[in-house]
Structures are given as structure tokens and as C-alpha cells.
């Protein structure tokens, strides 16, 4: 179990925010890999249509022909997290190491800040609601989950961090999963330093992932133990749900890429390289790119076989 | 004697509940029309009883005006969540009638396995009728949008009967 990110209480965090900001960024990169200089390494990947986008200290757009174009990226900090939505081609949402969110509407050519109302702390994870591309979620380090219903123009605090093993845990990954909760909405899945959790998008309560919807959990009382959960206590670096098959999830863990075909009840390990980020093609749930210590690798068969992606 | 007590306490509480009623009357009033709880039509008497039950048993945590505890989205130091509002600004209306009944009767910890919560179980304090009445009262304060949404959730869960 690696838990290098300090998990201060929110109050402690706010008072030491200035001093802490720098060290948090550093420990994020240390946590992610111990390769090149911190900040130089990519931290996040996503698909924008057929193009793969890679964010870190800079920003790279790689078209499906394999041609990579380096772009300046947001001015206000390096990228820790990325999100796109299949109904908004060209729109990219980036969570920044210096705090705040930057948004591009042109595939990463130009960026504008969408940080109004957000606390100044690293935005560790970002997701667009699968049911509505204007709705965005971000995880703010040391703080909690924030929500925007107008593509980042304004933000409200949605929910505090989950309480796991006697402490609040930062959300290290977010994925909106288009699966009914039984409470009139869909699920937001999240990764923490200790594993997987989820909350209905009414933000009532964090709960463990289990078969059935939130209602079943309440009715049956005792939750049946998941049959093949992710390895206990392992941090989740990234989490995605395939837009074309929402129940299909991929998770990036230190032990590799893991896949689930049933929205997170049963997981299968699909690679054994330490993985820091993962992206799934919006129209092909079997096409997945993973960011590993040795660079980007790709599968077109759901993770049965992987090949390196050249040019990264 | 029981009825006597009820009437007396009704007078005592009318002050408190007047505040609550004022807040609601702007949006919907507290008419029972078209509202059901656990599959049965809500009556005015039920709402009156529910208002009293609420003031006596729920208001101390969830607020006299159903507004919830201050800063209710932030976890307390002990790791538990504060009491959320029961008006439309909270998430009560995302639960089916049966869920709301179970949560009130058994506490949140009683229905979500392993979950620690400050929401008490009311099974030894309130009768099933009183629980239904307090839910009827809470539901009667919601605007149309929340009522409709919660009715759909209840219907999907099997009618809430």
C-alpha cells in the first residue's frame, strides 16, 4: 500500500494551504512514478474522439494516424487529470496541479480557466457526467468533491471525502458510470488510496460497490461480498467507464490495468505493469491506452494483449 | 387521555410549526392533494400529526424548518455526516417511500450495512403510523418537481406499498 499523499483534515489543510501546495504537487509526481524529473512526466490521458490526449507539464495530441502534436497546454499549471465527453468533441477538461480547472473547446489549442469558486489545491481527478456533458465533477486534494452544472463556470461543494479505515480519504480517480442507481440518477465511481467506492449522483452516501442498485443495498440490508474485488488496500490512480458500454470499467493500479464487465463487481487483471493513467476509446470498449513507467501501451482486445504506442 | 395530550402538545407546538409552515406556504402549502405515502393517499390529519412528530423527534437535528444542520455536506470531526435538510435542498427526495420508512425506523446504520451514522433508529419511539405521518408531512413541504421525482423513484422501487 502506497499512500504518499498526506491526508490532512480540511481545516489543517486550509491553514497550511500555501506551504502545502508545493509539497502536494511534488508528492503527486513521486507517487505516480520515480522516473524523470517531477512535472516532466505525463500524468493523465484521455480520448477526444479518435485522438489520444496526454497531459502533464505539457500537452500532446496524438491523432489516430499516430502523429503527435505538442501543444502549450494551460498556462496556470501542469495537468494532473483529464476528462472528455463523447457528445462534446474537442472539449477537454483539465485538473491542474496548482489548483483549479482549465477548459479547452478546440481540442487543446487554447485554454481558459474554469476555477471560480474552487479551493486552491491540486485537482487530482476530474470527470464529466455521462448523462450530461455540462455537468463536471472534480476531486480537490485535501478537500472533497465539487460539482459544476455549467461546464465549470461555477462550482458547488457536492460531498465530503469518503471515510475509510478511520480517516477521510482523498479521491484519486473519478468516473461517471451511466448505470441507474435506483434513486433517479446514475453513479459516480471513485478511487481512493485504499480502493474503489461510489456514490449516487444525489450525493447521499458513499457506498461500497456491490451487485444491484442502491435500493437493493438498502432493502437487503447486508451487502453480499463482491465476488472478485480489486486488490484490497491498493490505490487507484485512474478509473474510466467505456462510453459505448458503461458497465465496462478499467482501473489503473500499481499492479497494472484491471477490467470489469459488470460495473465493478468482478475485476480481472489485464496487465502487470505499474499503471498511472488509463483511457478507453469512446466507441470501442476494447481499445484502451495505459500510461506505464515505460510509456504508453495500447490494447485493442480489452487487455488480452498490449503493444507499445510509438512516439510518446 | 392520549388524545388530550395530543391536542395540548399540538397547541404547544403550533408556535414552532408556524415557522415551518410559513416557509412552505410560499412554494406549495401543505395540501394533501395528490400526495401518497407508502401507497396510501395522504390525509390532512396525517400531515397535522406528522408535523407534531417532526417537531418533537426530528427538528432538533434536521432543523425546525427542515433546513438541516449548518454545513451539512461537510463531515464532522468524528467522521460522521451531519443531519441533511429534509426540504428540497437536501437529498431526502431521492429515496423511495419504503427507503425513507426503513431509514427512519432502523436508522441509516440499520439499513446500510457497516455504516456509522448519528441518525437514530425510531422503532422503539414511534409507531409505524407516526413514521408514515412524519414522512407525509416532510413530503408535503416539497415543490412539484421533487414530489414528481420522488414518486417516480417510489414507483420504480415497487410502488412503496
Amino acid at each position: 500500500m502506497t499512500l504518499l499523499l498526506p491526508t490532512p483534515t480540511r481545516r489543517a489543510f486550509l491553514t497550511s494551504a500555501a506551504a502545502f501546495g508545493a509539497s502536494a504537487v511534488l508528492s503527486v509526481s513521486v507517487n505516480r512514478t520515480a522516473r524523470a524529473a517531477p512535472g516532466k512526466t505525463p500524468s493523465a490521458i484521455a480520448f477526444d474522439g479518435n485522438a489520444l490526449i496526454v497531459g502533464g507539464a505539457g500537452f500532446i495530441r496524438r491523432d489516430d494516424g499516430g502523429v503527435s502534436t505538442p501543444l502549450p497546454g494551460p498556462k496556470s499549471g501542469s495537468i494532473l487529470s483529464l476528462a472528455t465527453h463523447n457528445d462534446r468533441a474537442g472539449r477537454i477538461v483539465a485538473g491542474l496541479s496548482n489548483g483549479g480547472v482549465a477548459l479547452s473547446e478546440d481540442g487543446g489549442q487554447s485554454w481558459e480557466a474554469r476555477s471560480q469558486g474552487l479551493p486552491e489545491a491540486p485537482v487530482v481527478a476530474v470527470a464529466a457526467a455521462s448523462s450530461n456533458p455540462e455537468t463536471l465533477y472534480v476531486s480537490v486534494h485535501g478537500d472533497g468533491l465539487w460539482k459544476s452544472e455549467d461546464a465549470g463556470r461555477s462550482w458547488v461543494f457536492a460531498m465530503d471525502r469518503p471515510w475509510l479505515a478511520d480517516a477521510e480519504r482523498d479521491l484519486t480517480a473519478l468516473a461517471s458510470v451511466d448505470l441507474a442507481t435506483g434513486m433517479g440518477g446514475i453513479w459516480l465511481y471513485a478511487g481512493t488510496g485504499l480502493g474503489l467506492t461510489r456514490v449516487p449522483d444525489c450525493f447521499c452516501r458513499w457506498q461500497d460497490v456491490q451487485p444491484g442498485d442502491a435500493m437493493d443495498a438498502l432493502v437487503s440490508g447486508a451487502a453480499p461480498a463482491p465476488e472478485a474485488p480489486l486488490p484490497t488496500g491498493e490505490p487507484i490512480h485512474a478509473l474510466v467507464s467505456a462510453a459505448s458500454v458503461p458497465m465496462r470499467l478499467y482501473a489503473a493500479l500499481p499492479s497494472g490495468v484491471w477490467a470489469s464487465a459488470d460495473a465493478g463487481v468482478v475485476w480481472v487483471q489485464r496487465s502487470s505493469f505499474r499503471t498511472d493513467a488509463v483511457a478507453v476509446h469512446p466507441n470501442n470498449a476494447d481499445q484502451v491506452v495505459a500510461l506505464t513507467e515505460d510509456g504508453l501501451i495500447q490494447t485493442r482486445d480489452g487487455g488480452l494483449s498490449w503493444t507499445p504506442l510509438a512516439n510518446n | 387521555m392520549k388524545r388530550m395530550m395530543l391536542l395540548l402538545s399540538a397547541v404547544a407546538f403550533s408556535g414552532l410549526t408556524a415557522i415551518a409552515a410559513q416557509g412552505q406556504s410560499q412554494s406549495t402549502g401543505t395540501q394533501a392533494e395528490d400526495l401518497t405515502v407508502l401507497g396510501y393517499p395522504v390525509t390532512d390529519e396525517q400531515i397535522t400529526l406528522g408535523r407534531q412528530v417532526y417537531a418533537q423527534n426530528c427538528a432538533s437535528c434536521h432543523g425546525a424548518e427542515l433546513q438541516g444542520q449548518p454545513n451539512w455536506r461537510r463531515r464532522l470531526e468524528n467522521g460522521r455526516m451531519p443531519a441533511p435538510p429534509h426540504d428540497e435542498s437536501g437529498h431526502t427526495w431521492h429515496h423511495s417511500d419504503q427507503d425513507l420508512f426503513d431509514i427512519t425506523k432502523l436508522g441509516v446504520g440499520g439499513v446500510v450495512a457497516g455504516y456509522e451514522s448519528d441518525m437514530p433508529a425510531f422503532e422503539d419511539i414511534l409507531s409505524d403510523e407516526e413514521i408514515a405521518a412524519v414522512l407525509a408531512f416532510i413530503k408535503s413541504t416539497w415543490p412539484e418537481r421533487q414530489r414528481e421525482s420522488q414518486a417516480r423513484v417510489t414507483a420504480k422501487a415497487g410502488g412503496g406499498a
Side-chain angles (χ1 to χ4, degrees), chain A residues 9-11 119 143-144 146 157-163 168 182-185 201-208 214-215 217-223, chain B residues 71-81 84 90-96 98-99 102-103 108 110-113 115-117 149 153-154 156-157:
Chain A
T9 69
R10 185 173 53 91
R11 247 158 251 120
D143 187 78
W146 289 72
F157 185 72
M159 181 116 204
D160 224 331
R161 295 172 294 168
W163 183 267
E168 270 188 305
M183 300 203 291
D201 62 4
C202 56
F203 302 106
C204 308
R205 261 168 294 282
W206 291 105
Q207 19 188 298
D208 293 339
M215 205 68 80
L218 287 179
V219 171
S220 68
Chain B
N71 227 355
W72 59 273
R73 289 183 198 275
R74 293 281 186 189
R75 207 176 278 284
L76 304 168
E77 288 296 336
N78 66 3
R80 297 183 176 200
M81 293 303 288
H91 42 63
T92 310
W93 55 275
H94 288 275
H95 298 284
S96 69
Q98 189 61 50
D99 273 0
D102 291 345
I103 290 173
V108 179
V111 286
V112 182
Y115 186 88
E116 283 194 28
S117 162
S149 173
V153 171
T154 298
K156 268 210 193 114

Side-chain angles (χ1 to χ4, degrees), chain A residues 41-289:
Chain A
T41 55
S43 338
I45 53 177
F47 275 96
D48 176 17
N50 287 325
L52 182 74
I53 52 174
V54 183
F59 182 84
I60 296 168
R61 190 176 173 89
R62 187 184 198 282
D63 67 27
D64 48 345
V67 178
S68 288
T69 315
L71 295 165
K75 280 195 266 314
S76 37
S78 62
I79 295 172
L80 287 181
S81 46
L82 285 170
T84 53
H85 194 290
N86 208 18
D87 297 347
R88 286 288 181 284
R91 177 185 287 175
I92 301 168
V93 190
L96 304 176
S97 58
N98 294 341
V101 166
L103 187 132
S104 172
E105 296 280 9
D106 53 14
Q109 306 287 335
S110 65
W111 297 86
E112 58 181 86
R114 292 282 166 89
S115 310
Q116 192 124 34
L118 284 178
E120 281 182 36
V123 172
V124 188
V126 46
S130 0
S131 52
N132 180 357
E134 302 305 301
T135 298
L136 305 177
Y137 302 110
V138 295
S139 157
V140 177
H141 178 63
D143 187 78
L145 183 68
W146 289 72
K147 173 182 175 177
S148 170
E149 290 183 325
D150 51 12
R153 286 184 186 83
S154 63
W155 294 91
V156 292
F157 185 72
M159 181 116 204
D160 224 331
R161 295 172 294 168
W163 183 267
L164 300 163
D166 289 329
E168 270 188 305
R169 305 292 171 177
D170 257 331
L171 304 170
T172 51
L174 290 175
S176 170
V177 179
D178 199 359
L179 170 70
T181 58
M183 300 203 291
I186 62 171
W187 290 99
L188 185 67
Y189 279 56
T192 71
L194 294 179
L196 190 66
T197 181
R198 65 177 183 177
V199 65
D201 62 4
C202 56
F203 302 106
C204 308
R205 261 168 294 282
W206 291 105
Q207 19 188 298
D208 293 339
V209 176
Q210 58 190 54
D213 62 20
M215 205 68 80
D216 299 334
L218 287 179
V219 171
S220 68
E227 286 162 52
L230 286 170
T232 353
E234 229 190 298
I236 295 181
H237 294 160
L239 189 66
V240 288
S241 155
S244 55
V245 189
M247 303 270 274
R248 185 83 74 86
L249 308 184
Y250 293 95
L253 272 65
S255 56
V257 172
W258 292 70
S260 170
D262 60 2
V265 180
V266 174
W267 288 90
V268 181
Q269 187 170 8
R270 289 297 186 206
S271 81
S272 51
F273 308 102
R274 180 200 159 87
T275 308
D276 292 323
V278 65
V280 56
H281 191 283
N283 302 321
N284 178 0
D286 287 330
Q287 186 180 345
V288 178
V289 174

Side-chain angles (χ1 to χ4, degrees), chain A residues 24-40:
Chain A
V25 176
L26 205 79
S27 47
V28 166
S29 7
V30 170
N31 192 14
R32 284 182 178 275
T33 55
R35 15 168 211 202
K40 284 269 184 260

